[in-house]
Amino acid sequence: MPRFIDVHSGFVGVTEDQLREAHERDLAAQGEENVSFEKAWLDPASGKVFCLATAPSKEAMNRVHEKAGHPTAEVYEVSIEVE
Amino acid sequence: MPRFIDVHSGFVGVTEDQLREAHERDLAAQGEENVSFEKAWLDPASGKVFCLATAPSKEAMNRVHEKAGHPTAEVYEVSIEVE
């Protein structure tokens, strides 16, 4: 299954509880699109959120974000991974 | 130890071997700065690279990138993480 990283902006000063609440909406919407979120990281100083997920397509990622209420133009298919 | 995600641009069309070679330079430089890279993901279509690491500070991250030859202005301290 392809892997994606999406980037959201504007989450300045957001707390862990608030991030969890926002991400719960992704998790609630992911099943019907066959998307599986693995992790979300937030830098509350810059307001950047990074989510790591697997999904059948970028369009499926976009639909989950739309349903969760936080669409983003930044969804990257990270087809290469090294350690 | 604080966790960071850094973002690099301009890696359009880069292969897994080329990413590995670039990242090996990070790995060679990380020890003396007490930085520990966990993973690097690349979207070769957009040229975006995302690296996940732990480090004592953003400055330590910047020094490793400088030594590795691929500095970036985008280094985010992701102090909040949810699953």
Side-chain angles (χ1 to χ4, degrees):
Chain A
M1 184 78 85
R3 177 158 285 175
F4 294 86
I5 289 179
D6 58 73
V7 185
H8 300 258
S9 299
F11 284 66
V12 176
V14 162
T15 66
E16 180 168 343
D17 281 353
Q18 290 169 325
L19 178 65
R20 194 178 304 276
E21 187 184 321
H23 195 49
E24 288 293 340
R25 296 202 300 275
D26 292 315
L27 300 179
Q30 71 179 4
E32 61 195 287
E33 294 290 350
N34 208 15
V35 170
S36 180
F37 283 96
E38 295 177 19
K39 198 86 87 172
W41 295 273
L42 163 66
D43 171 10
S46 69
K48 290 276 188 183
V49 175
F50 301 88
C51 300
L52 180 67
T54 55
S57 67
K58 185 180 285 195
E59 290 67 32
M61 291 286 292
N62 289 340
R63 285 191 294 269
V64 170
H65 287 134
E66 286 284 348
K67 284 177 192 167
H70 40 241
T72 175
E74 287 198 81
V75 178
Y76 301 100
E77 183 172 347
V78 287
S79 55
I80 296 177
E81 177 177 329
V82 302
E83 285 187 11
Chain B
M1 185 78 85
R3 176 157 286 175
F4 295 86
I5 290 179
D6 59 72
V7 185
H8 300 258
S9 298
F11 285 65
V12 176
V14 162
T15 65
E16 180 167 345
D17 281 352
Q18 290 169 324
L19 178 65
R20 195 179 302 278
E21 188 185 321
H23 195 50
E24 288 295 340
R25 297 203 299 277
D26 292 315
L27 300 178
Q30 70 179 6
E32 60 194 286
E33 294 290 350
N34 209 15
V35 170
S36 179
F37 284 95
E38 295 177 19
K39 198 85 87 172
W41 295 272
L42 163 65
D43 170 10
S46 68
K48 290 278 187 182
V49 175
F50 301 88
C51 301
L52 181 66
T54 56
S57 67
K58 185 181 285 194
E59 290 67 32
M61 291 286 292
N62 288 340
R63 284 191 295 270
V64 170
H65 287 134
E66 286 284 349
K67 284 176 193 168
H70 40 242
T72 175
E74 286 199 80
V75 179
Y76 302 100
E77 182 173 347
V78 286
S79 55
I80 295 176
E81 178 179 327
V82 301
E83 285 186 12

